[in-house]
Amino acid sequence: MSEIVLDIQSLTKTVHKQKNIVEDVSFQVKKGEILGLLGPNGAGKTTTIRMIVGLIKKTKGTVLINGHDMNQDSHVCKEQIGAIVENPSFYDYMSGWKNLQQHARMASNPVSNERIEEIVRLVQLEHAIDEKVKKYSLGMKQRLGVAQALLHQPSLLILDEPTNGLDPKGIRELRDYLRELTKAGISTLVSSHLLSEMQLMCDRVVIMEKGRLIDETVIGDLNEADESAAHVVAVQCGIGQQTLAKELIETIPGVELLELEGDRTLLLQMQEDKIPFMNKLFVDAEVDVFAIEKKKTSLEEKFLSLTARENAEDTQEVQ
């Protein structure tokens, strides 16, 4: 099996009047990796996922699953994928258990009742698994969809907004289970609008805007500092010393006071290599320094910055 489980190359979807709703998108998902697919509404995330799993035809591009081409070996590829795309569909007149059994019968490899029971416990549907699905809430149907996607132990999970309808405890349990799956080498492509949750769940994220891929970020690198870059730094000083600290800050070239928080904290924008000099300046002036904290960059901040920049560039092109 290839170390690259999913490899999409130049994926494009063109609709009427030659409009590209997905344009030249390429990325890979490695074995045992969780990759997040981010983007605002209309960015092309669901269209990309639907092309990957073969629900709609792509205009051009290649989809490889463990080295197999979806065009040439679609049956082999689909055997290795478990997916929830948009809202999962069920037989409403059947129970949740009967739905899972029916799905298990369609799997190429046998799925035991023990495996079904294990998945039911994972998604916390024990109390309702024998009830008809038409009685399920949206959240319960979403949990049943996750269970259905996991039944045949695929090498690649593709989950489109899998946390819809789940409460915080359910989201945490799903995240923990996906992490357990990575230990067994199973890969996941997941789209979601919960940016903070994606930062906790994913190893990498790719960001789409208006059908194009605009960024790829390794989550582990997101908070690593670049010494030459300006960062937001919070400095907590003694009570009553905020004014003196502010005056000292004004004497340091390249350090900008952004905000005063409460009566003890200053938010500054500065390069990391200026922190030791600032700290010594405070100590020499007998300003008590209780904490110096470099604020971490969140995935949400980066996402909003990138999409805002992309929109600004498009506006300039139109003008």
Side-chain angles (χ1 to χ4, degrees):
M1 183 182 292
S2 169
E3 289 300 310
I4 302 299
V5 176
L6 172 65
D7 186 359
I8 69 171
Q9 303 167 5
S10 302
L11 206 58
T12 299
K13 180 62 177 178
T14 305
V15 293
H16 61 282
K17 297 182 180 179
Q18 301 301 305
K19 178 183 178 182
N20 289 336
I21 56 176
V22 173
E23 182 177 352
D24 200 29
V25 169
S26 301
F27 59 79
Q28 297 176 329
V29 181
K30 302 174 184 176
K31 182 178 180 180
E33 177 183 48
I34 302 176
L35 179 72
L37 182 60
L38 299 180
N41 291 337
K45 304 187 302 297
T46 296
T47 300
T48 298
I49 287 175
R50 289 173 69 86
M51 285 191 287
I52 291 172
V53 300
L55 289 177
I56 60 174
K57 292 183 179 180
K58 55 188 179 296
T59 303
K60 69 173 184 177
T62 305
V63 176
L64 302 176
I65 309 293
N66 288 319
H68 297 280
D69 192 321
M70 181 66 80
N71 284 341
Q72 300 172 6
D73 302 310
S74 62
H75 181 70
V76 173
C77 290
K78 290 176 182 178
E79 283 182 344
Q80 299 176 54
I81 298 174
I84 298 179
V85 182
E86 297 178 330
N87 295 322
S89 298
F90 306 103
Y91 298 104
D92 284 346
Y93 61 89
M94 291 168 52
S95 68
W97 180 266
K98 293 284 188 182
N99 269 275
L100 293 180
Q101 282 189 319
Q102 178 65 19
H103 189 74
R105 292 188 189 102
M106 295 185 290
S108 297
N109 298 318
V111 177
S112 66
N113 284 341
E114 289 76 15
R115 173 63 179 170
I116 297 177
E117 290 172 355
E118 175 189 347
I119 295 300
V120 169
R121 287 194 297 270
L122 167 70
V123 297
Q124 295 187 331
L125 276 178
E126 302 101 310
H127 65 289
I129 197 62
D130 293 320
E131 294 183 7
K132 292 183 178 180
V133 171
K134 66 181 180 181
K135 297 182 179 180
Y136 281 21
S137 66
L138 174 62
M140 293 166 66
K141 287 183 178 180
Q142 195 70 7
R143 294 182 192 188
L144 189 63
V146 172
Q148 188 172 273
L150 294 172
L151 271 182
H152 64 292
Q153 298 180 320
S155 61
L156 174 65
L157 271 179
I158 299 179
L159 305 177
D160 189 14
E161 300 285 354
T163 56
N164 279 352
L166 297 182
D167 60 20
K169 185 172 182 288
I171 292 173
R172 170 69 179 270
E173 289 173 347
L174 174 63
R175 183 176 75 228
D176 291 345
Y177 188 70
L178 291 180
R179 278 291 167 200
E180 286 299 315
L181 292 179
T182 65
K183 296 177 183 178
I186 296 175
S187 307
T188 303
L189 173 64
V190 55
S191 73
S192 176
H193 65 281
L194 299 177
L195 298 180
S196 59
E197 183 58 37
M198 294 288 270
Q199 186 163 357
L200 292 172
M201 182 185 295
C202 299
D203 300 298
R204 286 187 300 129
V205 295
V206 292
I207 299 176
M208 292 184 67
E209 171 71 305
K210 297 181 179 178
R212 295 172 292 181
L213 192 67
I214 63 172
D215 187 73
E216 179 178 328
T217 296
V218 177
I219 295 298
D221 295 342
L222 187 61
N223 299 321
E224 289 188 1
D226 178 355
E227 293 184 0
S228 65
H231 299 277
V232 176
V233 177
V235 180
Q236 187 180 56
C237 59
I239 295 176
Q241 295 184 312
Q242 199 178 44
T243 300
L244 176 56
K246 176 177 177 293
E247 293 172 353
L248 293 171
I249 289 298
E250 291 172 350
T251 69
I252 307 175
V255 177
E256 179 185 356
L257 175 65
L258 299 178
E259 186 180 347
L260 298 176
E261 285 189 348
D263 58 359
R264 299 182 61 183
T265 303
L266 303 89
L267 284 183
L268 312 171
Q269 183 162 315
M270 60 191 300
Q271 292 178 353
E272 187 178 36
D273 58 6
K274 292 184 180 293
I275 292 177
F277 175 78
M278 176 190 67
N279 187 49
K280 184 177 185 304
L281 189 65
F282 282 2
V283 172
D284 290 345
E286 298 184 349
V287 173
D288 298 323
V289 179
F290 288 87
I292 299 176
E293 178 187 6
K294 186 173 59 181
K295 295 291 187 179
K296 294 180 179 179
T297 302
S298 72
L299 181 58
E300 181 178 25
E301 290 168 343
K302 181 166 187 177
F303 174 82
L304 293 174
S305 173
L306 285 167
T307 53
R309 184 177 66 193
E310 189 75 9
N311 286 329
E313 289 175 354
D314 288 345
T315 301
Q316 289 177 355
E317 288 178 5
V318 171
Q319 294 174 347

